[in-house]
Amino acid sequence: MTRIALCQIPVSEDPADNLRQARESVALAADDGAELVIFPEATLTRYGKRILDLAEPLDGPFVTGLAEAARSHGLSVIAGTFEPSPGGVSAPGEGPAGMGEAPRVHNTAVALGPDGEIRAAYRKIHLFDSFGARESALVVPGGEPVVAELGGLRVGLVTCYDIRFPELTRALVDLGAEMFAVIAAWGSGPMKEEHWTTLLRARAIENTTWVAAVGQAPNPQAADGFGIGRSMLVDPMGVVRADLGPAPAVQTCVLDPQITIATRNALPSLEHRRLQVNRS
């Protein structure tokens, strides 16, 4: 069994304040016996044009601070950050005329081991160009699914809008993922919360795989609408084992691998596939 802490924190525009919150949450999770701690997408800073100025390399102060907390408490950490993209430029048509193309960044999920070392970095593949937003104006998409060894599990990394694309989680389960860690700054709006909860359960059911999903808690000082909470642990049968609701919370949950075995014995749908998907 693995003890996983879902750290549903409100994210501000200030990376130093967010790092402080994250370090405090790691300490709380460690006191509760967590082996793996998961934070939301964009834990570094809230979305907006500021991410171009606040993005940090993975050896910058934000990830270094998280690594120190992971090492100090002897647990693994997943968190969302923004990372400069060498050569990353704006999408066609972006950038002021005559001023060249504006730089973009990666929306990165970084995975740290209990020794503080970076085990993996996943750059978000599917960018949120929907519901009036245009993430691609600021972010360069990644191109590869990523699975990391954390807390005794093979964890497939998924970021927010990615959850709408079942081919990504199918690629991750084919890479041996035993759990999907879904980090998000999910937008509010009509049907959006319903989509979030339904998609998480669907990805668990169709892959007979655990889903640990962590979203930003609502920040009452922000007007952008990102962050609905509703962090969850969903088992391979689609049963919601934990639901944090909308308020800030740090909750430790237990993932039992025997439930995966029992589910796949009863429902061997992965073995029954006839169509192969070769792209994410």
Side-chain angles (χ1 to χ4, degrees):
M1 295 191 182
T2 301
R3 292 179 63 80
I4 300 167
L6 310 179
C7 295
Q8 180 172 287
I9 62 173
V11 174
S12 75
E13 297 180 2
D14 181 2
D17 180 60
N18 297 328
L19 178 58
R20 176 191 58 78
Q21 283 194 83
R23 291 174 66 99
E24 290 173 356
S25 297
V26 169
L28 287 172
D31 288 344
D32 202 23
E35 301 161 78
L36 171 60
V37 175
I38 307 176
F39 288 98
E41 176 187 25
T43 303
L44 172 72
T45 185
R46 294 189 75 80
Y47 267 105
K49 291 184 178 180
R50 74 186 71 84
I51 68 175
L52 301 178
D53 297 320
L54 296 178
E56 298 180 2
L58 297 183
D59 60 357
F62 181 74
V63 174
T64 298
L66 286 178
E68 289 171 353
R71 185 166 51 249
S72 173
H73 294 284
L75 45 68
S76 299
V77 174
I78 297 170
T81 187
F82 294 106
E83 177 190 10
S85 173
V89 295
S90 63
E94 302 290 333
M99 297 295 290
E101 293 178 306
R104 292 186 290 168
V105 299
H106 281 300
N107 183 343
T108 301
V110 62
L112 303 163
D115 55 2
E117 296 297 315
I118 295 174
R119 297 291 174 84
Y122 165 66
R123 281 96 190 181
K124 185 178 183 182
I125 293 173
H126 303 99
L127 302 184
F128 185 57
D129 287 2
S130 299
F131 293 103
R134 187 115 190 269
E135 186 177 11
S136 64
L138 301 173
V139 176
V140 180
E144 295 294 330
V146 173
V147 174
E149 298 273 357
L150 301 165
L153 296 170
R154 289 182 57 78
V155 179
L157 302 177
V158 179
T159 301
C160 205
Y161 191 51
D162 281 332
I163 199 66
R164 294 184 182 272
F165 299 86
E167 60 269 31
L168 174 59
T169 46
R170 185 52 53 90
L172 292 169
V173 82
D174 283 346
L175 290 171
E178 299 166 295
M179 183 190 86
F180 306 134
V182 183
I183 63 172
W186 201 260
S188 60
M191 295 301 297
K192 293 295 298 300
E193 188 169 330
E194 190 73 17
H195 286 191
W196 167 251
T197 58
T198 302
L199 289 163
L200 295 176
R201 295 185 66 209
R203 299 294 86 87
I205 293 166
E206 70 198 8
N207 293 292
T208 54
T209 301
W210 289 87
V211 174
V214 179
Q216 292 183 16
N219 185 336
Q221 297 179 334
D224 55 29
F226 289 107
I228 63 167
R230 297 300 303 275
S231 300
M232 290 184 171
L233 182 70
V234 184
D235 77 16
M237 281 293 283
V239 176
V240 177
R241 298 292 180 126
D243 183 336
L244 274 58
V250 175
Q251 182 170 328
T252 302
C253 314
V254 176
L255 185 154
D256 183 353
Q258 292 302 314
I259 292 174
T260 306
I261 294 170
T263 300
R264 291 182 177 179
N265 285 340
L267 180 63
S269 56
L270 291 175
E271 298 176 18
H272 295 162
R273 287 182 292 166
R274 293 294 178 264
L275 301 177
Q276 299 300 312
V277 178
N278 297 315
R279 57 187 293 272
S280 64

